[in-house]
């Protein structure tokens, strides 16, 4: 699994105690960086990050433990591994089950393909956890599986019931099956939400695109005492004047993205608008690391605060998925971290090291483009 | 962004306060509008001299001046350097802690273009993109400025061989011509699957080669014609000297009523009597070839005649656009020596019976391609496969043409060839490129390929994110100043406007960008943008 | 000329939210109460979004802002009792999984952000009752909604009412009711009745099923639907028939007689052909929409006398109101009243037919439909005689909030 020697090689100055002492085998790994992304999304002072037994033992320590394998990054910036809450990673076309509109029993973990290369690519790009989610083709789509893109035991699905995925967009009513309309679906949905069947950790992830879909989603789920994470709520982009009114209904999370270079101004301004109104924003890009970083970069270029952007890639998606052991670099949390050679939000920064569940990963910087950069 | 937000909020406030009265609401909105746009123009427009002091100046050619000074004089850059004296009366702007860059140049943009207008189907090389530009697209210009872009290249993109593209300066202008830095710069050939015509690469290349072969033939026909024409005229001269005025026995047209003293521009326009065989003839220039020596004994003193619009029905076919501007390879002599349609074939005649050679047909589309083969127009080949690249190299063996590659995902595979054969590249990089693709610009740089960077996205909105695209190349290993050059000085040179834009050097256009934060950072804020010395963006 | 007069109004409505106790007085050249009383000139006092007083010189609370509305004419906001606007067209409205869906509520299909509402406000319509779609034989319960104003106050509690359609829409296989073509005939849509006979059968079977459910407590149908049908049989939910042709009206009567059910008629284009029945059975009629020229809605076989039906209904003492259905603008509700007036209906009666009588039809006459004390301040200010071709609403208030400005600009932000 581990390629510590490679990681050391990339780190520049060879670490003396590295050989034969992989952290994955119970040893201790210490990584020195210049800056560390704090849980509040700000860049804080660096130091040694100590990894042991797949967990973070210490963050920003002054000194490395005596017996640890050492990795030093001169201009390194350590960030928590990114989390993409709604992907179809490794299961494109396998997570859309259109036979029935209400499929709460369906579990995306059954579509999980541990050998799929997309997970490795995501890990190499700095995404350490993804939500493998049923598609938007059902009103109640089923359980989202939480997948670690790598780790000591390999790519794995977290056990236990995952969060639920819902949809109130057109795709959920498309096809030859009952109900064919939102009007027909809502009574059944309310009944289900009132029952015990739909208990889940974290908020309900609900696809709602237009302004009124957002309104009815918030109304319906709030009525049942559930928290909502709105997925792709682009309707807000066109309904500025009603944003406050609708959000009073209790939107807590919004999952937005991906953005590309063709995105409209209003779309790119959406994260800021939502965050200004107290909604915690998470980014998604279908598990594609480059697209996820571009999404964050475009939001930042359009005025989204950098601390919010970093949270939107780490702590917020962790909360959306109901996870409390990842998303931030704090002692005791899972050792999912990425070392960049600059600000993680800058597209000019390169990944120097990815650690998933305590295991340093071989990453995908092509040999031809050896990071021979010198920062001024 | 923030300014827009302020405007929007201000607007909301004003409309709320003025409701529900029409008059006051409208007035208020007008006032807001005026207030928002005016300050950017007036205060600095009066300043002849603007001095940007204390910033980190990135010249664009690799040089960086810490704490440098940039002096803008009128529409041009006056001086750039360290510790320069501030001229008297200058408007000094303190840009300490800021970065100063030349205006960025997008080597392939969709700004100001109507997507439909640029689609030219199978290809109309004679068309010009300038005719598809909408100078009233002010929002797109502002968006480009908001990303520090001041100069762009635009071209049609859909046909196999499209009309010529143009280099535009994004300046506040109302007319198209105010925007154009260089028109008819290059012809684009689009190859590969990402175009909406039902075809295969096999057929595409065949079509392209056929077009060029036909152009070659066309050129040869005209060269041949001109050669023969010259011979013919020489013969005329000779016969004139010999006193033999009867040149062409078959030419029986009556003498024109033009008196010898008539000015050339007053040449007859209308019908001038019955044609050969007594049938009424359409308006036609007299068989002037034979009359020339009579009318203008000293042919050298005759002013040049305009080719078109003389109503003789002999104008070249096509839109005539290029011919009007620059009559290709036609001297005035050709103009007055048009042969009769279907005139007798040239050659095989005795010298006494010298015949004018028949004039080949003229075709505007082919005329444009002829310019390509003559090296007057660059051929920009847009492609996506390495195999196409090989074809381009072969093409260059066949014809001595100037080629620029655009797109070029696989270009790095041929990097050394591109470098040794000096083929410039406009590399289209996706902002969400995977690491191996992001590394291509670095590989091109390592192989010394001359390349500019643009976004792999045809939309108008991508231009404003040009710096992000270059940032991706930096992540791929490209040196920062080289990445800057790839969106400033290199495209300027490739587009033939390197003497005016692309670097911060004295004498060039005062297109300057001031940012808070480094250009390749995501949190960069474009604070000030100057175009031709005028501030077009300030926040 | 109107704008300066309303500058006062501008001031009155400025600011984020007028203090709850603040009153506004609108002084108009004419206030048409809607019950036959007209004050010339008249004033309306608005407090807390409701009408506090109305009359030639009502007592004005101290501190009230007085707005001189000049020559404008004040009426109550128009009410459409059988609208088809304001819902999701694409996927949300028409539930196709059954012919019998009385358990569903149109309220779940309303798109509060629909552009339809903007047009309705421009037409002076302040409340619509959206009835179920005609694609089902027994369609869903309708819902009443204000066309503008703050979101929380827009939904109204109207008399629950289920719509029945015996033909032709519920058995029509044309474009409006077509199943997704890719499924061909072997689909759940193939169960749909294709004749009026079939639709009637579905209707009768449904109520017999409901009665069976009541007796046995068992059903192989959706129990929620059965319960909803029992509510209809118990009179808790009213029944409405969408009937364009006289034959539909007669079969509606026959079918309801079987179960002892009262009903109202929606549209009733050919009600003139069976006026005797309507009068004898005292069937309320929501008449319309009459449309100009090409007879798109008025079926081509409808006789010319149909244009005079409103006048005849009034003369015969039938309870009726007018609807524009999915029409707006040139075919909107104000124009429906205009057509009725042109064809002989009394002006005052025409106003009632699109305000007070329509409100009564949906059980909201204690809340909306007149300019009277205690009712919602839903008001339209016209720049001339209401429903004249040369008149239009120049200011529309919903719950006292201006939703249409004098300049025809919609006020979308929440007051």
């Amino acid at each position: 699994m581990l390629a510590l020697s490679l990681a050391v090689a990339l780190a520049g100055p060879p670490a003396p105690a590295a050989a034969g002492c992989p952290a994955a085998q119970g040893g201790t790994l210490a990584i020195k960086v210049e800056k560390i992304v704090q849980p509040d999304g700000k860049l804080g002072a660096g130091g040694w990050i100590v990894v042991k037994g797949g967990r973070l033992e210490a963050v920003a320590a002054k000194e490395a433990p005596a017996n640890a394998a050492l990795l030093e990054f001169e201009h390194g910036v350590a960030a928590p591994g990114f989390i993409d809450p709604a992907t179809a990673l490794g299961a494109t076309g396998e997570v859309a089950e259109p036979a029935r509109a209400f499929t709460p029993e369906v579990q995306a973990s059954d579509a999980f393909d541990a050998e799929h290369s997309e997970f490795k690519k995501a890990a190499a790009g700095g995404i350490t956890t993804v939500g493998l989610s049923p598609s938007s083709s059902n009103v109640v789509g089923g359980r989202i599986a939480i997948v670690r893109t790598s780790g000591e035991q390999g790519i794995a699905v977290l056990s236990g019931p995952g969060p639920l995925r819902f949809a109130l967009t057109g795709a959920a009513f498309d096809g030859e099956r009952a109900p064919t309309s939102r009007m027909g679906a809502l009574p059944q949905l309310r009944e289900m939400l009132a029952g015990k069947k739909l208990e889940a950790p974290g908020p309900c992830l609900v696809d709602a695109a237009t302004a009124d879909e957002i309104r009815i989603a918030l109304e319906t789920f709030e009525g049942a005492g559930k928290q909502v994470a709105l997925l792709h709520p682009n309707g807000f982009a066109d309904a500025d004047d009603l944003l406050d009114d609708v959000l009073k209904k209790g939107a807590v999370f919004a999952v937005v993205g991906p953005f590309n270079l063709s995105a409209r101004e209003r779309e790119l301004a959406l994260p800021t608008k939502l965050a200004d109104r107290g909604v915690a924003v998470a980014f998604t890009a279908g598990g594609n690391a480059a697209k996820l970083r571009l999404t964050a970069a475009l939001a930042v270029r359009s005025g989204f605060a950098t601390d919010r952007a970093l949270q939107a890639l780490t702590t917020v998606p962790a909360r959306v998925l109901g996870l409390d052991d990842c998303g931030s670099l704090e002692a005791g949390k899972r050792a999912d971290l990425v070392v960049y050679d600059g600000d993680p939000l800058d597209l000019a920064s390169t990944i120097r090291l990815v650690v998933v569940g305590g295991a340093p990963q071989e990453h995908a910087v092509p040999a031809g483009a050896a990071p021979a950069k010198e920062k001024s | 962004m923030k300014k827009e937000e302020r405007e929007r909020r201000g607007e909301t406030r004003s409309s709320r306060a003025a409701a529900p009265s029409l008059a006051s609401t409208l007035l208020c909105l007008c006032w807001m509008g005026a207030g928002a746009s005016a300050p950017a123009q007036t205060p600095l427009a009066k300043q002849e001299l603007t001095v940007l002091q204390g910033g980190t100046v990135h010249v664009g050619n690799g040089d960086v001046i810490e704490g440098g000074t940039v002096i803008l004089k009128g529409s041009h850059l006056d001086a750039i350097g360290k510790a320069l004296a501030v001229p008297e009366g200058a408007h000094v702007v303190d840009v300490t802690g800021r970065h100063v860059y030349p205006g960025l140049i997008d080597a392939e943009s969709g700004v100001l273009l109507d997507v439909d207008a640029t689609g030219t189907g199978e290809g109309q090389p004679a068309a010009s993109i300038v005719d598809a530009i909408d100078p009233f697209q002010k929002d797109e210009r502002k968006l480009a400025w908001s990303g520090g872009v001041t100069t762009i290249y635009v071209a049609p993109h859909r046909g196999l061989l499209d009309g010529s593209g143009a280099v535009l300066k994004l300046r506040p202008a109302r007319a198209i011509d105010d925007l154009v830095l260089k028109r008819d710069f290059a012809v684009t050939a689009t190859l590969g699957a990402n175009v909406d015509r039902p075809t295969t690469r096999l057929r595409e290349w065949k079509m392209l080669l056929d077009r060029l072969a036909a152009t070659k033939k066309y050129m040869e026909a005209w060269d041949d014609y001109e050669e023969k024409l010259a011979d013919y005229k020489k013969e005329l001269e000779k016969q004139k000297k010999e006193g033999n005025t009867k040149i062409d026995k078959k030419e029986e047209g009556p003498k024109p009523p033009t008196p010898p003293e008539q000015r050339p521009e007053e040449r007859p326009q209308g019908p001038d009597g019955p044609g050969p065989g007594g049938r009424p003839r359409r308006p036609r220039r007299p068989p002037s070839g034979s009359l020339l020596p009579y009318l203008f004994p000293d042919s050298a003193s005759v002013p040049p005649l305009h080719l078109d619009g003389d109503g003789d029905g002999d104008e070249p076919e096509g839109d005539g656009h290029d011919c009007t501007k620059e009559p290709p390879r036609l001297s005035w002599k050709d103009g007055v020596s048009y042969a009769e349609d279907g005139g007798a074939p040239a050659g095989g005649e005795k010298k006494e019976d010298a015949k004018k050679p028949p004039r080949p047909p003229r075709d505007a589309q082919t005329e444009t391609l002829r310019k390509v083969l003559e090296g007057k127009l660059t051929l920009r080949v847009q492609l996506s496969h390495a195999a196409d690249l090989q074809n381009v190299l072969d093409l260059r063996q066949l014809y001595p043409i100037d080629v620029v590659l655009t797109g070029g995902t696989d270009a790095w595979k041929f990097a050394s060839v591109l470098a040794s054969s000096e083929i410039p590249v406009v590399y289209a990089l996706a902002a969400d490129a995977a690491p191996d693709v992001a590394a291509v610009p670095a590989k091109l740089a390592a192989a010394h390929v001359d390349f500019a960077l643009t976004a792999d996205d045809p939309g108008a909105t991508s231009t404003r994110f040009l710096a992000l695209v270059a940032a991706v190349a930096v992540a791929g290993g490209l040196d920062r100043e080289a990445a800057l050059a790839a969106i400033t000085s290199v495209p300027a040179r490739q587009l033939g406007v390197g003497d005016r834009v692309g670097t911060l050097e004295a004498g060039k256009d005062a297109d300057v960008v001031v940012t808070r934060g480094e250009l390749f950072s995501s949190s960069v804020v474009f604070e000030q943008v100057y175009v031709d010395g005028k501030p077009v963006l300030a926040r | 000329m109107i704008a300066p007069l309303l500058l006062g109004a501008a001031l009155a409505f400025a600011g984020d939210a007028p203090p709850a106790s603040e009153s506004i007085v609108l002084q108009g050249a004419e206030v048409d109460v809607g019950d036959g009383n007209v004050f010339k000139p008249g004033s309306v006092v608005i407090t807390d979004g409701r009408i506090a007083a109305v009359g030639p010189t009502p007592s004005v609370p101290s501190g009230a802002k007085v707005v001189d509305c000049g020559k404008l004419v004040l009426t109550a906001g128009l009410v459409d009792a059988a609208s088809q606007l304001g819902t999701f067209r694409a996927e949300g409205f028409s539930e196709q999984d059954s012919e019998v869906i009385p358990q569903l509520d149109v309220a779940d299909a309303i798109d509060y952000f629909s552009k339809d509402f903007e047009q309705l406000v421009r037409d002076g319509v302040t409340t619509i009752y959206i009835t179920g779609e005609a694609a089902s034989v027994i369609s869903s319960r309708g819902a009443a909604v204000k066309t503008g104003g703050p979101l929380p106050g827009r939904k109204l509690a109207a008399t629950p009412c289920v719509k029945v359609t015996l033909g032709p829409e519920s058995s029509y296989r044309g474009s409006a009711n077509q199943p997704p073509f890719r499924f061909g005939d072997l689909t759940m849509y193939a169960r749909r009745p294709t004749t009026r006979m079939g639709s009637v059968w579905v209707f009768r079977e449904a109520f017999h099923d409901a009665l069976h459910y009541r007796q046995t407590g068992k059903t192989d149908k959706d129990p929620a639907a059965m319960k909803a049908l029992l509510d209809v049989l118990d009179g808790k939910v009213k029944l409405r028939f969408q009937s364009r042709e006289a034959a539909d009206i007669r079969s509606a009567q026959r079918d309801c007689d079987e179960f002892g059910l009262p009903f109202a008629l929606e549209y009733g284009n050919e009600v003139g052909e069976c006026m005797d029945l309507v009068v004898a059975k005292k069937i309320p009629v929501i008449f319309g929409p009459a449309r100009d020229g090409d007879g798109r809605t008025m079926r081509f076989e409808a006789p010319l006398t149909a244009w005079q039906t409103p006048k005849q209904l009034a003369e015969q003492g039938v309870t009726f109101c007018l609807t524009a259905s999915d029409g707006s603008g040139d075919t909107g509700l104000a124009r429906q009243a205009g057509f009725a007036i042109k064809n002989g209906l009394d002006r005052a009666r025409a106003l009632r037919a699109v305000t007070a009588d329509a409100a009564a039809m949906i059980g909201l006459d204690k809340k909306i439909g007149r300019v009277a004390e205690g009712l919602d301040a839903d008001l339209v200010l016209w720049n001339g005689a209401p429903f004249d071709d040369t008149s239009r609403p120049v200011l529309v208030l919903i719950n006292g909030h201006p939703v249409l400005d004098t300049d025809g600009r919609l006020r979308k932000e929440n007051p």
Side-chain angles (χ1 to χ4, degrees), chain B residues 239-453:
Chain B
Q239 289 179 359
K240 190 183 134 199
K241 274 180 196 156
E242 287 166 2
N244 181 4
T245 55
K246 192 177 178 188
I247 296 159
D248 192 341
K249 286 172 183 168
K250 285 184 184 173
E251 283 290 348
E252 303 240 303
K255 282 193 178 184
T258 319
E261 67 271 21
Q262 191 179 356
R263 308 297 309 169
E265 57 268 29
E266 294 166 348
R267 289 170 60 245
Q269 302 282 322
D272 44 33
R279 66 184 159 88
R281 49 186 294 172
R282 64 192 176 100
R284 185 178 289 273
R285 181 181 294 137
S288 45
S290 58
L291 294 167
L292 187 71
Y294 291 116
L295 292 174
F296 307 112
D298 182 12
S299 59
S301 69
V302 179
L305 294 174
H306 203 281
L307 246 179
D308 294 337
D310 55 2
D312 65 358
D314 268 346
E315 285 92 353
E317 288 173 34
D319 65 1
H321 173 84
D322 296 303
C323 306
T324 313
K325 285 205 81 146
E326 182 194 350
R329 295 245 164 154
L330 283 174
S331 67
W332 65 272
K333 289 172 190 168
D334 304 313
V336 294
S337 59
Y338 279 175
E340 294 275 348
D341 288 346
E349 303 280 340
K350 284 182 184 174
K351 284 187 179 174
E352 288 78 21
D353 296 338
K355 283 271 173 55
K356 279 181 306 172
R359 180 177 164 273
R362 189 168 289 282
D363 175 62
Q365 313 280 17
T366 316
E367 277 300 333
T368 309
L369 293 179
R370 174 179 179 167
K371 284 188 202 164
V372 172
L373 290 192
E374 285 168 354
K376 290 177 185 163
L377 268 179
T378 308
L379 185 68
R380 278 167 84 97
V381 184
Q382 183 171 340
L383 46 77
S384 49
H385 299 288
D388 286 332
L389 205 58
Q390 181 59 59
N391 286 341
V392 172
L393 295 175
D394 293 349
L395 188 70
R396 224 157 142 270
Q397 296 290 317
L398 215 56
Y399 305 102
I401 54 179
D402 282 343
V403 174
V404 174
L405 288 185
T406 69
T409 315
D410 288 345
W412 59 274
K413 293 181 183 166
F414 284 74
S416 58
V417 185
L418 290 171
S420 61
S421 51
E422 293 178 338
I423 295 181
V425 175
V426 176
Y427 188 73
L429 182 62
D432 54 1
D436 54 339
V437 176
V440 172
K443 287 181 189 170
L444 295 178
H448 305 291
V449 176
D450 177 35
F451 72 98
L453 283 171

Side-chain angles (χ1 to χ4, degrees), chain A residues 269-282:
Chain A
L270 186 59
T272 311
K273 279 186 202 164
L274 288 166
D276 284 348
R277 287 162 176 83
V279 179
V281 176

